[in-house]
Amino acid sequence: MSLKCGIVGLPNVGKSTLFNCLSNSKAQAANFPFCTIEPNVGIITVPDERLNVLAEIDHPEKIVPTTVEIVDIAGLVKGASKGEGLGNKFLGNIRECDAIIEVLRCFEDENITHVDGSVNPIRDKEIIDIELQMKDLETIESRYAKTEKIAKVGGDKKAKDTFEVIKAYKQVLEQGKNAREVSFDNKDLNLIAKELGLLTSKPILYVCNVDEDGFKNGSKHIDAVKLMAEKENAEILVIAAKTEEDIAELETYEEKLMFLEELGLKESGVNRLIKAAYKMLNLETFLTTGPKETRAWTFHKGYKAPQCAGVIHSDFEKGFIRAEVIKYDDYVNLKSEAACREAGKISIEGKDYIVQDGDIMHFRFNV
């Protein structure tokens, strides 16, 4: 299961620097707008300490973590919804992403110009909101009249449901709000909402990009973003992207650990960011392990055993018979599958079992 997050923001807020921290790719980080013309793409691993623990027990030939695709998207400017700057590219690239990581500049530096002349993360966020809302409203309005007509004339349930969704989104967007503020209890309506693919319906994580002093001592800009995020019920992370880039370039794990300890951190901002993105998309991980391979698999929270089997291969889901499940803590304590079996710590689960994060799974199937 692939996960694609787009890093967005105004020019010169630190998007490409953050991308460089996340990826082995090196985007051009320069002090002028649009230094990232085509989206840079990096495939990065999701940090999961459990893989290393299991590998110490099973000594597998390989360890395979799950991955996230990160896209560094060209900076947005006012008028993007009308094609200004690189607006059409920017908006098209966001549409392809599952989630948005919005970088807000929360540091002062007279040597790095701001496209609007001053540092104000709330203003920057509102600029992006307006442009994305306008594009979403354009999408909704282009379908409104036709969908309304079909819904009223015919007996097509899908058309009626679609119009209900479109009408709800139109009302919210016209108020200057984001589509993600709309929620539907009905499963069919949620599927239609997802199909519309509105830009402002995508889950969002706000990243306050700060300097080292701001990271250690806080700032008025961070406080303002926190207050805004609380009102939206959104998550924020505070990251010193330039410092993270310095950490990423250190050669040994010990050097990185020492650097983090000096900052009072147990793990890097990059790791915290990836984990936050994972959580934001309601994703979890099940595990498989043995002498050949120890591997992490991504699934949507709430998946049942056959759906998780399908994450490995579609045949596993089609021919699903049962799942053998070992809890991670039991496996770590008992040190082998055989010991877990002897201790009665392997449960046999059927089609209705809801897989839990960290479950060690073995699927039985027949096609």
Side-chain angles (χ1 to χ4, degrees), residues 196-216:
L196 287 173
L198 296 183
L199 303 174
T200 63
S201 69
K202 297 180 184 296
I204 192 164
L205 173 68
Y206 295 107
V207 174
C208 295
N209 184 20
V210 301
D211 55 21
E212 194 167 325
D213 180 69
F215 186 83
K216 289 179 178 178

Side-chain angles (χ1 to χ4, degrees), residues 95 139-140 143 165-166 169 191-198:
R95 202 176 298 280
T139 300
I140 290 297
R143 299 185 57 172
V165 171
I166 287 175
Y169 277 141
L191 286 173
I192 292 167
K194 190 173 181 181
E195 288 171 5
L196 287 173
L198 296 183

Side-chain angles (χ1 to χ4, degrees), residues 229-262:
E230 283 176 10
K231 291 177 181 177
E232 291 190 7
N233 197 27
E235 294 290 327
I236 81 158
L237 276 180
V238 178
I239 290 180
K242 188 66 181 71
T243 302
E244 291 288 332
E245 192 173 37
D246 292 340
I247 294 172
E249 290 176 354
L250 294 173
E251 292 185 3
T252 67
Y253 174 75
E254 288 73 19
E255 287 177 311
K256 293 179 181 181
L257 192 61
M258 191 179 299
F259 202 136
L260 289 170
E261 286 176 351
E262 288 177 5

Side-chain angles (χ1 to χ4, degrees), residues 22-294:
L22 290 163
S23 173
N24 289 328
S25 304
K26 285 292 179 182
Q28 179 190 7
N31 183 26
F32 55 89
F34 312 130
C35 64
T36 309
I37 305 299
E38 294 297 331
N40 291 274
V41 179
I43 304 296
I44 58 177
T45 60
V46 176
D48 194 332
E49 298 80 3
R50 295 172 298 192
L51 288 175
N52 294 326
V53 175
L54 293 176
E56 287 179 6
I57 296 170
D58 290 323
H59 307 290
E61 294 175 12
K62 60 180 178 177
I63 302 172
V64 185
T66 190
T67 59
V68 177
E69 186 175 334
I70 299 289
V71 185
D72 178 22
I73 299 172
L76 175 146
V77 294
K78 291 177 184 177
S81 60
K82 304 299 181 186
E84 292 295 326
L86 298 170
N88 291 330
K89 281 181 177 288
F90 178 96
L91 298 170
N93 292 328
I94 294 177
R95 202 176 298 280
E96 295 171 2
C97 293
D98 300 302
I100 298 171
I101 298 169
E102 185 170 323
V103 182
L104 298 170
R105 178 172 168 178
C106 294
F107 65 90
E108 303 281 352
D109 189 335
E110 61 184 20
N111 295 317
I112 301 177
T113 59
H114 189 288
V115 69
D116 282 326
S118 63
V119 176
N120 186 332
I122 303 304
R123 177 201 59 209
D124 295 353
K125 181 258 184 192
E126 289 172 352
I127 289 171
I128 293 175
D129 275 355
I130 289 168
E131 297 303 329
L132 300 189
Q133 289 163 9
M134 289 174 68
K135 197 66 180 179
D136 279 348
L137 197 53
E138 182 183 305
T139 300
I140 290 297
E141 288 177 340
S142 69
R143 299 185 57 172
Y144 190 90
K146 184 179 179 181
T147 308
E148 182 182 27
K149 184 177 180 181
I150 296 171
K152 286 184 176 180
V153 173
D156 187 339
K157 182 180 182 301
K158 175 73 179 286
K160 290 181 179 179
D161 287 347
T162 301
F163 182 63
E164 185 178 339
V165 171
I166 287 175
K167 187 167 63 174
Y169 277 141
K170 186 173 186 290
Q171 183 178 2
V172 165
L173 290 165
E174 286 178 339
Q175 294 172 10
K177 298 178 181 178
N178 292 313
R180 70 180 66 88
E181 294 188 28
V182 178
S183 61
F184 302 100
D185 295 329
N186 185 293
K187 184 179 178 181
D188 292 337
L189 298 187
N190 277 314
L191 286 173
I192 292 167
K194 190 173 181 181
E195 288 171 5
L196 287 173
L198 296 183
L199 303 174
T200 63
S201 69
K202 297 180 184 296
I204 192 164
L205 173 68
Y206 295 107
V207 174
C208 295
N209 184 20
V210 301
D211 55 21
E212 194 167 325
D213 180 69
F215 186 83
K216 289 179 178 178
N217 303 313
S219 73
K220 63 179 182 180
H221 298 311
I222 298 171
D223 292 340
V225 175
K226 283 181 178 177
L227 186 61
M228 174 273 296
E230 283 176 10
K231 291 177 181 177
E232 291 190 7
N233 197 27
E235 294 290 327
I236 81 158
L237 276 180
V238 178
I239 290 180
K242 188 66 181 71
T243 302
E244 291 288 332
E245 192 173 37
D246 292 340
I247 294 172
E249 290 176 354
L250 294 173
E251 292 185 3
T252 67
Y253 174 75
E254 288 73 19
E255 287 177 311
K256 293 179 181 181
L257 192 61
M258 191 179 299
F259 202 136
L260 289 170
E261 286 176 351
E262 288 177 5
L263 293 173
L265 296 173
K266 293 182 179 179
E267 63 179 345
S268 70
V270 167
N271 282 9
R272 290 186 292 118
L273 175 57
I274 299 166
K275 288 178 179 179
Y278 213 63
K279 180 182 176 183
M280 175 172 61
L281 285 170
N282 216 21
L283 298 176
E284 294 184 329
T285 303
F286 72 85
L287 306 161
T288 54
T289 188
K292 290 283 186 184
E293 177 182 275
T294 294

Side-chain angles (χ1 to χ4, degrees), residues 315-333:
D315 284 349
F316 284 29
E317 183 172 7
K318 290 175 186 175
F320 178 87
I321 299 173
R322 66 179 184 271
E324 296 181 356
V325 183
I326 306 174
K327 294 302 178 183
Y328 171 79
D329 287 343
D330 289 336
Y331 197 95
V332 171
N333 291 332

